[in-house]
DNA sequence: GTGAAAGCGCTAACAC
DNA sequence: GTGTTAGCGCTTTCAC
């Protein structure tokens, strides 16, 4: 059916070994042979079978990126960065969406076990630290964007606590004292770290922590609006809100707008992630930007190093965040 | 290094053939052997090498979905549908992002040529019809969401012309006569078909087509706002706008809001696609919904049929669209 | 500079 | 019901 290296060899009048040498850029081939092989290749429209090659070489040069959803511009941008660097290093990136379920994630991890891919990058995971540590012993796995407490494997992420600290401190410097937090009950470490940063910022400014200014639910869109409703039902309404994700911030802004509250002047709102929508909203949304492209590049580079090397780097690499101030905080 | 079928065979005290039979659910294995093999498998934590299997079977049971961007909820939802159906049929879906460049797309198509995947679904493509027809002769390729004029291969999409016709007719039925169009100059067939639907709706209602009510640029976000500015500079401003994509509609709404124009009452805006953001905007955005999940399921099912069969189905399958009316049209 | 041949891990045809 | 073996397409050692 398909044209193989044998066909090329026959067509070029050389052995398969010579064809293979040409394919892999070996120097030990005469110009004449090389030319005849290349000619045969294009004449037959030959494309090497990577299954054979990978089986023989015990490597695929493919990295799988598993993400909970592809509907998050944060992830898309990380993947773009991964692709950029992978391309330079001769690797391909393929992605799979786990929908945040451990069943799907486990199934997709099979591609690692059955040698379909050389390594995996997890953008947020359902696996426990223990399980990850066990897996990382035998396979090349990395976390990106979202660390796991207690997991001892290659990780690239922003310093969530310090980023949240900066965000809230910015609100404080604008004169706000009554600052509410929209957090989550999820097990995600980033959510907790951002909450820690919020608390620290208040503490450093000598502002008392008030339990009624904290709303915790899930990352689901409607929770932002729910939080806002609750905050606005308080006697002492907050004048500013820090949400641990842009989507929650946007939902809160949406609800505020419905309630006739002027976001930007009457109420300041700050999100986290800098998703595209932040610029499209009315008002535009202030937020903390994660350097997605850079995170993707870095994690791929480190992971490929691990794939190629014996002694694994299981470091935790922190990348710089950046505050983006827009209309929702009156900027 | 890795544990292979041989190790399992030795451990279980049987031949590799028997292990293979157990692995593949053959009935011709005694209960005793089967039990011993399964025991050995779990004792050794064995996972079959898919490179070996795929090489031997000449199939991978993996389908690649190439998309121009992963930052479009439309595509994410299509992929979800693809995964759902693929899972039922024993296939895996992996995705790759071409960024809308033919270079990346061509590189990703290599996975088809080098046997890394069994088939490809293209969600919008840079390939010409001719090229696609040539490729489809030898490989299993399908288009989803976006057809290509003159391409004779398996395609699943909505009837863009009829969908746009319905959208514009809805505006007309609301009493609008001055209806502008935000289209594109892109080569995408869907954009053109939607423009045709717009024209047809006007024609059927006896409303004259006015060139100054047409704005064509790219799918880029800012173009919606640019269009709105131009429309509002006209002496006779349109009272309604139909945009060929939600992003363009949202951009126009954003700009209108900046200009103090009340969208929903003073100006009706209708988009296309029903992306998540439609519900998050203030006002929420009326639009035409494409049945993404269904399209994904259908295209995967048909493509797998093609992969498994000799005579290829290169039909063009149309799925039903649905109008979603929200605040931006005063609903 | 080149070819013959072994073997990567697996499945399936064949023999018993 | 089970084992032996050829061979999928490729790379790479070894010999020349």
């Amino acid at each position: 059916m398909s044209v193989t290296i044998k066909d090329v060899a026959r067509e070029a009048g050389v052995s398969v070994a010579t064809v293979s040498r040409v394919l892999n850029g070996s120097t030990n081939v005469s110009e004449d042979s090389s030319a005849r092989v290349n000619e045969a290749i294009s004449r037959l429209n030959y494309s090497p079978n990577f299954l054979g090659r990978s089986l023989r070489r015990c490597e695929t040069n493919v990295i799988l990126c598993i993400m909970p959803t592809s509907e998050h511009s944060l992830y898309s941008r990380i993947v773009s960065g991964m692709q950029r660097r992978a391309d330079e290093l001769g690797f391909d990136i393929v992605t799979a969406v786990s929908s945040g379920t451990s069943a799907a994630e486990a199934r997709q991890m099979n591609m690692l076990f059955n040698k379909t891919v050389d390594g995996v990058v997890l953008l947020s995971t359902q696996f426990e630290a223990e399980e990850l540590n066990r897996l990382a012993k035998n396979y090349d796995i990395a976390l990106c964007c979202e660390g796991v407490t207690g997991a001892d494997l290659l990780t690239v992420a922003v310093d969530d606590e310090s980023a949240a600290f900066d965000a809230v401190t910015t609100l404080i410097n604008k004169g706000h004292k009554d600052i509410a937090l929209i957090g989550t009950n999820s097990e995600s470490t980033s959510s907790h770290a951002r909450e820690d940063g919020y608390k620290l910022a208040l503490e450093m400014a000598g502002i008392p922590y008030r339990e009624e200014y904290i709303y915790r639910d899930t990352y689901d869109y409607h929770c932002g609006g729910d939080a806002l409703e609750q905050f606005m039902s308080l006697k002492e309404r907050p004048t500013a809100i820090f949400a641990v994700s842009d989507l929650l911030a946007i939902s809160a802004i949406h609800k505020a707008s419905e309630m006739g509250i002027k976001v930007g002047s009457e109420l300041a709102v700050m999100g986290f992630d800098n998703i595209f929508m932040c610029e499209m909203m009315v008002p535009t949304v202030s937020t903390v930007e994660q350097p997605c492209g850079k995170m993707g590049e870095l994690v791929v580079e480190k992971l490929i190093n691990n794939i190629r090397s014996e002694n694994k780097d299981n470091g935790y690499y922190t990348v710089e965040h950046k505050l983006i101030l827009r209309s929702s905080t009156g900027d």
Side-chain angles (χ1 to χ4, degrees), chain A:
Chain A
M1 179 75 236
S2 196
V3 32
T4 75
I5 198 171
K6 268 190 197 166
D7 302 319
V8 177
R10 196 183 320 113
E11 178 82 6
V14 297
S15 73
V16 293
T18 299
V19 177
S20 177
R21 287 190 188 101
V22 172
L23 247 31
N24 295 290
S26 163
T27 47
N28 295 329
V29 182
S30 71
E31 285 212 11
D32 179 55
S33 297
S34 175
R36 292 221 309 284
V37 167
N38 282 320
E39 215 171 293
I41 286 176
S42 64
R43 194 158 47 231
L44 298 177
N45 194 22
Y46 167 72
S47 182
N49 181 319
F50 274 34
L51 296 173
R53 172 179 291 178
S54 299
L55 179 59
R56 181 55 225 242
R57 284 193 185 156
C58 293
E59 64 174 39
T60 62
N61 282 13
V62 176
I63 289 172
L64 173 67
C65 177
I66 301 179
M67 58 187 99
T69 167
S70 61
E71 313 205 23
H72 200 321
S73 60
L74 193 72
Y75 296 144
S76 308
R77 284 187 269 184
I78 292 173
V79 172
S80 295
M82 291 178 60
Q83 281 178 324
R84 200 160 42 238
R85 194 81 187 97
D87 196 32
E88 292 167 4
L89 298 171
F91 271 70
D92 276 330
I93 305 287
V94 299
T95 64
V97 177
S98 68
S99 307
T101 68
S102 47
E105 201 181 342
R107 191 155 36 79
Q108 288 154 358
M109 285 292 278
N110 275 326
M111 295 184 70
L112 194 56
F113 310 146
N114 67 33
K115 312 288 183 207
T116 304
V117 301
D118 291 343
V120 163
V121 175
L122 300 169
L123 308 183
S124 147
T125 175
Q126 298 291 313
F127 286 115
E128 312 268 333
E130 237 176 87
E131 177 78 354
L132 286 173
N133 290 338
R134 206 175 53 72
L135 290 173
K137 276 212 187 66
N138 298 309
Y139 299 97
D140 289 297
I141 303 179
L143 302 180
C144 184
C145 187
E146 176 91 41
V148 170
T149 335
D152 190 30
L153 73 166
L154 180 59
T155 303
V156 173
V158 299
D159 181 338
D160 285 289
E161 178 170 353
S162 131
F165 176 88
D166 289 351
V168 175
T169 300
T170 300
L171 292 172
I172 294 172
N173 289 342
K174 284 177 177 295
H176 295 283
K177 287 194 169 53
D178 302 323
I179 304 172
L181 172 84
I182 307 180
T184 75
N185 283 317
S186 84
E187 291 172 12
S188 98
T189 44
S190 60
S191 177
H192 291 162
R194 289 170 199 175
E195 193 169 326
D196 291 343
Y198 163 84
K199 286 179 189 161
L200 191 63
L202 293 189
E203 196 179 314
M204 298 295 277
I207 300 174
Y209 174 82
R210 298 169 61 165
E211 196 58 55
E212 69 266 32
Y213 279 176
I214 311 294
Y215 187 96
R216 290 189 200 88
D217 199 345
T218 70
Y219 275 111
D220 288 348
Y221 181 69
H222 70 89
C223 300
D226 296 349
L228 189 106
E229 274 188 334
Q230 182 182 300
F231 294 148
M232 291 306 139
S233 73
L234 296 174
K235 271 192 206 109
E236 294 181 64
R237 291 178 166 191
T239 62
I241 296 177
F242 171 58
V244 298
S245 97
D246 283 335
L247 226 46
L248 292 173
I250 286 169
S251 174
I253 289 173
H254 199 140
K255 178 68 76 179
S257 161
E258 277 177 23
M259 294 172 67
I261 299 165
K262 279 251 171 202
V263 172
S265 46
E266 293 171 41
L267 178 70
V269 178
M270 171 96 70
F272 203 109
D273 286 346
N274 194 26
I275 61 177
F276 274 170
M277 228 183 296
C278 289
E279 275 189 286
M280 298 177 190
M281 285 293 290
V282 186
T284 54
V285 183
S286 297
T287 190
V288 179
E289 179 176 76
Q290 308 198 45
C292 298
K294 202 172 158 190
M295 289 197 292
E297 289 176 12
L298 192 61
V299 74
V300 156
E301 183 176 319
K302 300 280 184 194
L303 183 61
I304 290 177
N305 279 343
N306 277 356
I307 289 170
R308 290 180 172 157
S309 127
E310 284 310 307
N311 42 350
K312 307 297 183 188
D313 173 0
N314 57 2
Y316 193 107
Y317 294 90
T318 294
V319 289
E320 288 296 312
H321 60 269
K322 190 170 126 196
L323 241 62
I324 312 271
L325 299 179
R326 300 199 180 94
S327 319
S328 70
T329 49
D331 295 87

